[in-house]
DNA sequence: GCCCGAATTTCCGTTAAAAGGAAATTTCTT
DNA sequence: AAGAAATTTCCTTTTAACGGAAATTCGGGC
């Protein structure tokens, strides 16, 4: 989330420079294109959205397109994010092999419970949702969408990622980040409540967040990586009435089994070095 | 196009320079990291794999990490692809809204047929597999994996993307690309055979490739975008014995329904412009 | 705990190219 | 076809990318 910092000033570039700046600007453009979604953006749209000069955008866009970061529609001249990004992303979300292992297991979990399951990966100080599998129960709870990134601690999966970090100091650091405070404020959750959730999560071995989005609840279980710290979280969301005793326990049993399966297949730490 | 052409006077680096070069090098590094998969790469690994100078890699890696293109593991100092890429990728694969619409439909298709279904998007002169849903039949046919990119025309989905392009000249152009020839050579398919497939695809309204990977067959159906040209392809793969009459017809019926559903939900062309 | 080789980071002068303003050209709209 | 909007090119100054090599830090045997 450090992207948009220096994006708007013209004339003199105050912040970072050089490659730093180029990649920063590229990030701004890519984010703009991502936000534009299915519509894509024309050259001017990019210029306006980023506040960069025409020349700069022109140069950047040419370079980005040349290397497949972005693509131009065949028919009109609108720009879109390039498929190349997708290729990298599949590799990125498969860190520790999680995605590949988790997918079929999540399917099974969604099938037996009927609810929507999620997979989130920790990425620095945030959690990113990398997969969502819908269940058959007619009321779908879609609190997050693949690609969404949010502060650690808000949302069940995200909470599980935070709660089971073993280094207390790291947890404190994360709780005191400005983004954290901002995120909490937005969600209407105060620090005391988060801390309460953390304690409960560690006591119970899972996280549960009830009615943060009114009427819905979600459960999160940590998936521990080779080092012992959580690298991912398995989430399950449903309307609150479906996540109360006695059903809650049945769901938990299934989820624990699923998380354990995923972890078990993760273990072989890839210590291999490479290119010699 | 033709952005960095004026700049190849002597000096030392013969190819492209500047931003062009920076993004090119970034691409090389990202590809290397993608290839390294779960193992990640240390600084030296990147230096060796790319052949770039230490200084250059150092500068690039710092800039890439600063902006979330890559991340460094907390424990040791290995580099991985950044989750930021995943965020962009979900947006990229959802061009025309295909991914979002297609996912549940593919699930249903895999469920009723028991076979593995694929979704490929056209990206310039190539097709990229962006989704795979496994069926329940015990023999899984995994000819491609999400993130795989290949030449148009090889593989059922890819063939469907090629065959239903309406501009004949464009098809000719694609068939004559060097990558095409190379890809055909690798797969042991000659031009006559491809042309034969194209004719058959257009006659039948679907593509079928039998035993290109021995023992397996695959079907591809085009998904037409708002302009009428195919933007995506729905694929289904199974062992060859499962894709013969009379089952073939049943599968085709299901697939046609699925493809039609996807297309129907795509139609509203996003002509909206944006930022004003 | 100390050492040695490997890995990573910093320094440096040279030189290409990134910067943005503005103008020229092309494309779309009316 | 005229006019407006969008896109590309031109131009000069300023800046940081470049890679060789040195300095520092890291890691893992003994």
């Amino acid at each position: 989330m450090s992207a948009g910092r220096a994006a708007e000033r013209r004339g003199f570039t105050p912040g970072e420079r050089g490659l730093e700046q180029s990649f920063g600007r590229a990030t701004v453009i890519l984010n703009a294109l991502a936000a534009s979604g299915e519509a894509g953006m024309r050259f001017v749209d990019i210029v306006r959205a980023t506040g960069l000069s025409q020349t700069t955008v022109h140069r950047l866009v040419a370079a980005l397109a040349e290397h497949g970061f972005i693509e131009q529609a065949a028919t009109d001249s609108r720009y879109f994010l390039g498929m190349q990004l997708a290729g990298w992303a599949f590799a990125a979300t498969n860190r520790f092999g999680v995605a590949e292992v988790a997918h079929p297991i999540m399917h099974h979990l969604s099938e037996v419970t009927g609810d929507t399951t999620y997979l989130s990966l920790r990425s620095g100080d945030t959690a990113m949702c990398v997969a969502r599998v819908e269940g058959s129960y007619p009321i779908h709870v879609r609190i997050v969408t693949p690609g969404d990134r949010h502060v650690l601690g808000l949302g069940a999966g995200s909470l599980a990622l935070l709660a089971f970090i073993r280094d207390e100091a790291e947890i404190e650091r994360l709780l005191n980040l400005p983004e954290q405070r901002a995120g909490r404020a937005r969600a209407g959750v105060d620090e005391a409540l988060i801390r309460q959730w953390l304690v409960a999560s560690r006591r119970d071995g899972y996280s549960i967040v009830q009615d943060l989005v009114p009427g819905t609840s979600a459960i999160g279980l940590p998936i521990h990586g080779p080092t012992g710290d959580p690298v991912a979280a398995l989430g399950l969301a449903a309307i609150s009435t479906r996540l109360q005793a006695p059903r809650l326990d049945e769901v938990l049993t299934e989820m624990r089994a699923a998380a354990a399966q995923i972890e078990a297949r993760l273990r072989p730490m890839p210590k291999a070095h490479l290119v010699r």
Side-chain angles (χ1 to χ4, degrees), chain A:
Chain A
M1 271 318 188
S2 59
R5 265 179 41 215
E8 57 245 304
R9 288 271 282 288
R10 319 276 280 292
F12 265 84
T13 17
E16 56 197 2
R17 313 217 50 152
L19 263 191
E20 284 284 317
Q21 191 184 59
S22 298
F23 284 114
R25 287 168 166 182
T27 302
V28 170
I29 292 178
L30 293 172
N31 281 335
L33 285 172
S36 83
E38 317 169 14
M41 293 175 100
R42 294 168 308 164
F43 180 82
V44 256
D45 297 326
I46 301 176
V47 170
R48 287 178 186 147
T50 59
L52 299 168
S53 80
Q54 295 196 58
T55 317
T56 302
V57 172
H58 191 259
R59 224 173 328 102
L60 274 163
V61 154
L64 287 169
E66 173 74 21
H67 294 287
F69 287 80
I70 66 179
E71 294 174 12
Q72 218 166 353
T75 57
D76 63 19
S77 56
R78 283 182 294 178
Y79 291 95
F80 295 86
L81 291 174
M83 285 300 148
Q84 169 121 68
L85 293 168
W88 290 327
F90 287 109
T93 58
N94 201 33
R95 176 137 15 137
F96 309 104
V98 182
E100 200 171 334
V101 163
H103 265 129
I105 297 173
M106 290 170 68
H107 272 292
H108 177 255
L109 182 58
S110 278
E111 207 162 284
V112 297
T113 60
D115 298 317
T116 304
T117 56
Y118 295 88
L119 184 70
S120 301
L121 261 60
R122 181 171 173 195
S123 164
D125 301 342
T126 63
M128 174 166 274
C129 171
V130 298
R132 176 176 67 191
V133 177
E134 313 263 357
S136 59
Y137 190 76
I139 303 179
H140 286 196
V141 176
R142 291 185 164 187
I143 29 184
V144 289
T145 294
D148 284 358
R149 187 172 214 155
H150 42 278
V151 172
L152 284 173
L154 296 175
S158 179
L159 183 60
L161 278 172
L162 180 62
F164 296 92
I165 292 172
R166 290 173 311 171
D167 176 0
E168 288 291 334
E170 172 72 351
I171 296 186
E172 286 305 318
R173 186 184 70 79
L174 288 166
L175 284 176
N176 288 307
L177 288 174
E179 307 91 283
Q180 255 280 353
R181 299 176 176 286
R184 285 202 298 261
R186 228 176 303 120
V189 172
D190 67 6
E191 191 176 330
L193 183 52
I194 287 248
R195 289 189 184 278
Q196 198 177 312
W197 284 346
L198 289 178
V199 171
S201 299
R202 278 185 290 217
R203 183 192 60 215
D204 303 334
Y206 67 89
S207 300
I208 184 161
V209 177
Q210 282 163 319
D211 292 290
L212 184 58
V213 176
T216 72
S217 293
I219 304 176
L221 261 78
I223 297 189
H224 297 275
T227 69
D229 277 312
V231 293
L234 181 65
L236 183 145
I239 50 174
S240 298
T241 52
R242 280 172 69 82
L243 292 181
Q244 289 163 356
R247 189 172 186 274
L248 175 60
D249 295 315
E250 294 161 22
V251 169
L252 271 172
T253 305
E254 290 293 342
M255 284 188 75
R256 288 205 188 92
Q261 258 189 73
I262 296 174
E263 273 186 11
R265 306 228 201 146
L266 241 53
R267 278 300 138 96
M269 163 89 176
K271 63 175 184 297
H273 275 210
L274 318 176
V275 192
R276 195 84 307 241

